[in-house]
Structures are given as structure tokens and as C-alpha cells.
Amino acid sequence: MKKTASFILTLMMLFLWLGGAAAGAGDRVIRLTDDDTLPSNQYLEYAAVAGEKLWVYYGGSTWMLGEVNLATGETTAWDMKELQDSLTDIEPEGAEGSAGETDDPDEDEEESNREVLSSNGSVSCMFIWQGEPYLVISLNTSYMGEASTVSGGHVRKLELHDGKAALAEEDAVTLDWSAMVESSGTAAYSRYANASAAAGNRLFLSVYDDNGNTEIIAFDLTTGEFTEHMIQDLSDMGVTPDGRLMVCQYIWGERSEKTFSLYDPEDESMEVLVRFDLSEGSVNNFAWNPDTDTVYYTRNGEIY
């Protein structure tokens, strides 16, 4: 109870501070490179706290992974260019609608003779699991005269050596990606994960369904199985160590507002902690450090 109360007090002070007219810079501006600016097409995709480490992942045309020691402020960055170039080496097997080995030798031979036009890999999301960074990879493959396929849910650990981040050779687990695959005509593609977070052995992804509604897909990282949870007007989320979700939801009215709540996916209960307006800007990428009862978040490209 003491820790919960302390956490709520931290949130209240956080949002009161956000409402101040002088709020303009973060508690600590973290610089991962010697360059004062990032390329215009590079952006902060993900941030998460694990112990005393803050992990950040920059997406866009040039990817970068960063680690920040929250106790000392020391930063480390890993180049991801070779990782980007290696994504097409992942074989499209064992996923929804993709070619792979079956129990029928004749069918396998027919599949192996299909002419591949293109094969493009992409990062569906990043998350921290057991203190280590992981990527979820999906691969879109186009065939001559046939519909394209998606091989997704490939969970790969990031191996960090000599200033570079590389993918592990094997999947740590392959997720049931069927809920993440959509199609339009002959084209199949993975849904975009608006936010990702892991707690215990579960990975939570925030996505849009076919009707534009927000939902959370929860994956079991030991079995690959998933469950779906509908949350209206979800704008962002994070996790608490006990497996609940910190969720932000828009409130539409004369003034745009958000609520900050704790959501329990086990019983679908929602506890609203804070309501705040967006006149002073928005906040995203929430992460809770249980050791210090501190909430970290990003705002206007900075980490607070």
C-alpha cells in the first residue's frame, strides 16, 4: 500500500509540474552521440527502464540503440546499420500464410518452386525482457502471380558487441502472429505496434483493429499464445512490475484531455489515477522504475 501511495503521489507531482508555464526542458537531457541533432527522419521509437538502465531505440531510416545508466548518467550507443541490412536473411517459415515445411513432400516441393519477387524484413517492436533488449521481426514476402505472405512474431535477442547491435541467429520464441496480420487484395502486412511493453513473461502491444479501434494484444513469451483486450481511445501505455498496464486514454470534449490509469488485463479493471489537459503538450512512453517509484516518459523528443 505504501508503494502504491508513493507511486500515485509521484504521478500527481509529475502532472502538476507539467502544467507549469516554465516547463520546457527535461530533468536530464540525454545525448547518445556527439552530434547535437538527429537526422530529420530519425525518431525515438521506444524507451524502457530495467533496473538502473534506461533503454532507448531510435527508428527511421537510420536505427540506433542506446543505454543510459540512471545512477551515473553514462550513455552507450550501438549502431544498427548491419542489423537493418540483415533482416532479409530471416527465412519466412512457420508463420501465417507463409511457405514452410509441411507433412506433405509434394506440397513442400511445390512451395520451394515458388518464385520470390521480394522479401523485406522490418522491426515490429522492441522490448526489454529479463533485463535484455529484444526485437520482434516480421518478414513480408511477395511471390510471382500470388498473394504476398507475412512471417511474423520472430522474437530475437539483441547481441551487443564492439559498438554494434546484431540479431541472435535463432528465435527466442516465435509468437502466434495471426492477430497481427492484415490483408488488402493480394497484399498481406503486419499491423503497426503503436506501443510495446513487457512484464514478467508477457509482451503487450497496442494496435489498431480493422475498424480503427485501439486494442492490446498480450503475448505469452513462453508459449507464443496471445489474448486480446479492447481499450477505447488508447494513446500510450507502459507496465508495472506486477503485470498491470499504465494506460493513457484521450477524453474528447471542449478541451482535449487524457486520463492516466492502471489497467489489470486479468479482470479488465481500470483505476483512473490522474486527469490532465493537453494545453501544455503531451507525454508518451511511460516506464515505471519500482526501485525508486519513479515514472519516466518522453516529451517533445526528450526523456524526463
Side-chain angles (χ1 to χ4, degrees), residues 77-243:
W78 290 273
D79 181 80
M80 301 178 74
K81 179 66 171 71
E82 293 183 9
L83 185 154
Q84 286 180 268
D85 296 338
S86 71
L87 287 183
T88 55
D89 295 334
I90 299 176
E91 294 296 330
E93 61 179 7
E96 292 66 38
S98 64
E101 293 185 2
T102 70
D103 295 329
D104 187 339
D106 293 332
E107 183 177 340
D108 289 340
E109 182 177 359
E110 180 181 346
E111 293 287 353
S112 65
N113 292 329
R114 300 167 74 188
E115 181 178 351
V116 176
L117 295 178
S118 64
S119 185
N120 301 300
S122 62
V123 174
S124 297
C125 70
M126 177 184 166
F127 66 98
I128 305 300
W129 185 26
Q130 299 173 347
E132 302 291 341
Y134 286 79
L135 295 182
V136 180
I137 303 297
S138 62
L139 185 65
N140 187 287
T141 304
S142 298
Y143 298 94
M144 175 67 76
E146 299 182 38
S148 62
T149 62
V150 173
S151 172
H154 301 281
V155 177
R156 298 284 181 97
K157 185 178 180 180
L158 281 174
E159 298 179 342
L160 310 176
H161 302 289
D162 302 322
K164 297 180 180 180
L167 288 177
E169 293 185 1
E170 302 292 336
D171 289 5
V173 62
T174 303
L175 306 176
D176 179 349
W177 208 238
S178 56
M180 291 291 292
V181 177
E182 293 187 353
S183 60
S184 176
T186 61
Y189 54 92
S190 282
R191 291 182 181 179
Y192 177 75
N194 302 307
S196 59
N201 287 323
R202 289 202 294 181
L203 169 64
F204 300 93
L205 301 184
S206 167
V207 300
Y208 291 114
D209 66 12
D210 295 337
N211 298 315
N213 299 312
T214 53
E215 67 174 321
I216 290 175
I217 301 180
F219 291 97
D220 187 318
L221 290 171
T222 62
T223 66
E225 299 174 348
F226 70 89
T227 56
E228 296 176 275
H229 308 269
M230 298 299 298
I231 297 183
Q232 290 295 325
D233 300 321
L234 179 68
S235 67
D236 203 6
M237 70 173 188
V239 293
T240 66
D242 61 5

Side-chain angles (χ1 to χ4, degrees), residues 234-283:
L234 179 68
S235 67
D236 203 6
M237 70 173 188
V239 293
T240 66
D242 61 5
R244 289 182 295 173
L245 297 179
M246 300 179 289
V247 298
C248 273
Q249 294 171 277
Y250 287 107
I251 303 173
W252 304 108
E254 294 184 5
R255 290 192 311 172
S256 292
E257 293 182 307
K258 281 185 179 180
T259 58
F260 188 93
S261 309
L262 289 181
Y263 170 77
D264 189 339
E266 296 297 333
D267 59 13
E268 306 284 343
S269 62
M270 184 83 72
E271 178 186 2
V272 177
L273 300 181
V274 179
R275 291 172 64 106
F276 60 100
D277 70 69
L278 306 180
S279 60
E280 299 295 331
S282 188
V283 290

